[in-house]
Amino acid sequence: MSRPRIVIVGAGFAGYRTARTLSRMTRGRAHITLLNPTDYFLYLPLLPQVAAGVLEPRRVTVSLSDTLPNVRLVLGEADRIDLDGQTLHYTGPEGDGGTLAYDRLVLAAGSVNKLLPIPGVAEYAHGFRGLPEALYLRDHVTRQVELAAAADDPKSCAARCTFVVVGAGYTGTEVAAHGQMFTDAQVRKHPLRQGMRPRWMLLDVAPRVLPEMDEKLSTTADRVLRQRGVDVRMGTSVKEATPDGVVLTDGEFVETRTLVWCVGVRPDPLVESLGLPMEKGRLLVDPHLQVPGRPELFACGDVAAVPDLDKPGSYTPMTAQHAWRHGKVAAENVAASLGLGGARKPYRHRDLGFVVDLGGAKAAANPLGVPLSGVPAGAVTRGYHLAAMPGNRVRVAADWLLDAVLPRQAVQLGLVRSWSVPLDTSSPELARVPGGPERRQEESARSGPGAAIAADTHDGGTGAGSSQGRAGEEPAKGQPGSRVTQDRPGSGTAQRRSEEELAKGRPGAEPARNWPTDEPAKGPVGGGSAKGHLGGESAKSRPGGEPARNQPGDEPAKSRPGGESAKGRSGGGLARNQPGNEPAKSQPGGEPAKGQPGGEPARNQPGGEPARNQPGPTPQPPAGQPPPGPDTAPGPVKRSDAPDDSAKGDS
């Protein structure tokens, strides 16, 4: 008898716990497949410490392959679920499609940034849901402080040293608390010329900080923030975001280069088009985390509306604490449904307390309902995180010790650009890359730790399934140049909600959409704003300024089709020895070439050296991609000659 196939979508708190528990319970009696865009589990509560330079990025990531024995990891994002056919279609990291068949499916896709209909927010704000966003924020904050220290204009200096955080929940409060300490430490080593101090603002429409927590903890957090210098404004939010700053709901305009969006989260769009009953974007499940009417389908974590048995009529909140415990119960019930475990269990959990890290030795905590503050709260908070992490405990503790005795290293790594982490994305765990992945020419069997095997696939073959046509037609979802359409619910199938056709703020698109920019532009966006404003002086190869050579939308680069041809390449201007150009040596009227009957051979070209500055063929976009225009970021151009590494680089 073949082993039952269990597919888990997502490796967040719920998905990771489900996979780990099932691995221990089944002990090889079931084939478990975990589908996730990355090869690590991210411990989100410590992400603000990564942005503030306390922890290195790898400290908050736990390898899936190393910690989940007997679990097959497939790298990719779920696109479509055929509920009747019990198959899941996904897109891999290099744009190739695949299909997974299942006997039990656990949806634990997590959540993405919550957007509100506020003008300019989607273009000019950045979220804080994934590792790329944390790395971008650390680089960006460091850059703004360094540029402010070198600025002669006090107004520009003040704008660069103003950081606005919207949302006073767990994430926003910790980002503002750690951020103020981080920038103050930088300024102590490199004082600003005007004697200014970095200013962090924390905004929320709620009446108090941490409204979901006990009022005593809220008061403690508010006091620590204000003592540290954070400008806390409750009952206030952003009315509009512009390239130069933000307009607050009270009418005040705040000049800033940084807007961090921590308003909240929404369930992953994957579940919205399943055509099943929903509750505020979350999939309705019973207390056993099973979807009614679908015995093979389970859901847990942020995508599931799980009834709270201790509070009839309500659902468990979207917190990491609940998601972690959802995963354990979901795994036990999946095993029970396959006859591999005991009886089914309903989900019931009583909160044991909350912890909020405010940086340094300060924190707010209420373990077992006992409110704490100061050093005791800090010790409890860090002890809780060490106990809750599924790995890297020694490394995290070592980083905390080093941070306590050594100064932090405030340097820009430049690994993540502004356009790589748009706010409006269904994949905050992935940074967008220039050009996006190219589809493979042929579907072939996959191999390696992130591959599906024959038992995963619907037909026992390569895993291409019905997605083969899609894989050959368009780039991968979520990458620049992509064009993923949305299918409406119907006949038991679902397809993931698409992102915008092209990444906002990409090079060649609207200049204002790359805010906050690294350097101010000469003149206003599209024409002439003064230096020191957002969208300020654009360096070459930055959106809003002169396009960089070797980038789409510019004067053709050397060695590219349509530009000056490099020596040794075809497709450029007319080569010598060709009609209409300077006659080559060894032709009538020219000096004979050596090595030929009477002369020197032409350089690297059949018949001669290519002439410079001659018109060549106009590059055309690949099939299925719209041509570049004033509001469209050009995608990769298909080349007919060998690839040119010199054209690669940061855009």
Side-chain angles (χ1 to χ4, degrees), residues 496-527:
R496 189 171 189 151
R497 174 179 293 177
S498 65
E499 300 179 24
E500 297 183 5
E501 176 176 312
L502 294 172
K504 297 178 180 178
R506 290 297 308 275
E510 299 172 343
R513 293 179 182 264
N514 262 353
W515 186 88
T517 53
D518 301 335
E519 299 181 356
K522 296 178 182 175
V525 175

Side-chain angles (χ1 to χ4, degrees), residues 201-282:
M201 298 181 65
L202 181 61
L203 313 176
D204 203 309
V205 294
R208 58 187 176 90
V209 175
L210 299 172
E212 63 274 19
M213 293 185 66
D214 181 79
E215 189 170 353
K216 293 182 179 179
L217 298 183
S218 175
T219 302
T220 298
D222 186 274
R223 182 178 67 253
V224 171
L225 291 172
R226 294 181 187 275
Q227 289 175 349
R228 196 166 287 168
V230 177
D231 185 358
V232 180
R233 299 193 186 186
M234 295 295 98
T236 306
S237 188
V238 172
K239 182 179 180 181
E240 181 182 1
T242 72
D244 299 318
V246 294
V247 180
L248 305 184
T249 51
D250 59 7
E252 180 184 353
F253 180 77
V254 178
E255 291 194 27
T256 179
R257 298 290 199 283
T258 310
L259 179 59
V260 187
W261 193 254
C262 301
V263 169
V265 296
R266 59 189 174 93
D268 190 284
L270 173 66
V271 300
E272 292 183 357
S273 54
L274 282 171
L276 297 174
M278 309 287 289
E279 172 64 29
K280 295 182 179 180
R282 303 164 72 186

Side-chain angles (χ1 to χ4, degrees), residues 377-393:
V380 169
T381 298
R382 296 203 168 183
Y384 169 80
H385 287 315
L386 287 179
M389 288 194 69
N392 293 346
R393 296 185 181 93

Side-chain angles (χ1 to χ4, degrees), residues 48-136:
Q49 297 191 28
V50 173
V54 178
L55 296 176
E56 289 303 310
R58 287 185 297 174
R59 303 296 185 258
V60 298
T61 61
V62 178
S63 171
L64 298 178
S65 299
D66 292 346
T67 58
L68 296 177
N70 301 318
V71 174
R72 167 72 63 170
L73 171 63
V74 176
L75 295 179
E77 295 183 87
D79 295 324
R80 224 165 11 99
I81 300 173
D82 184 352
L83 296 176
D84 295 330
Q86 296 191 12
T87 55
L88 181 149
H89 305 275
Y90 69 92
T91 299
E94 296 182 351
D96 54 331
T99 303
L100 300 174
Y102 61 84
D103 297 305
R104 295 292 184 272
L105 177 64
V106 181
L107 293 178
S111 55
V112 298
N113 293 309
K114 181 180 180 181
L115 294 177
L116 298 179
I118 299 175
V121 166
E123 291 82 2
Y124 306 131
H126 286 90
F128 202 80
R129 287 293 300 166
L131 196 56
E133 293 171 320
L135 293 175
Y136 166 75

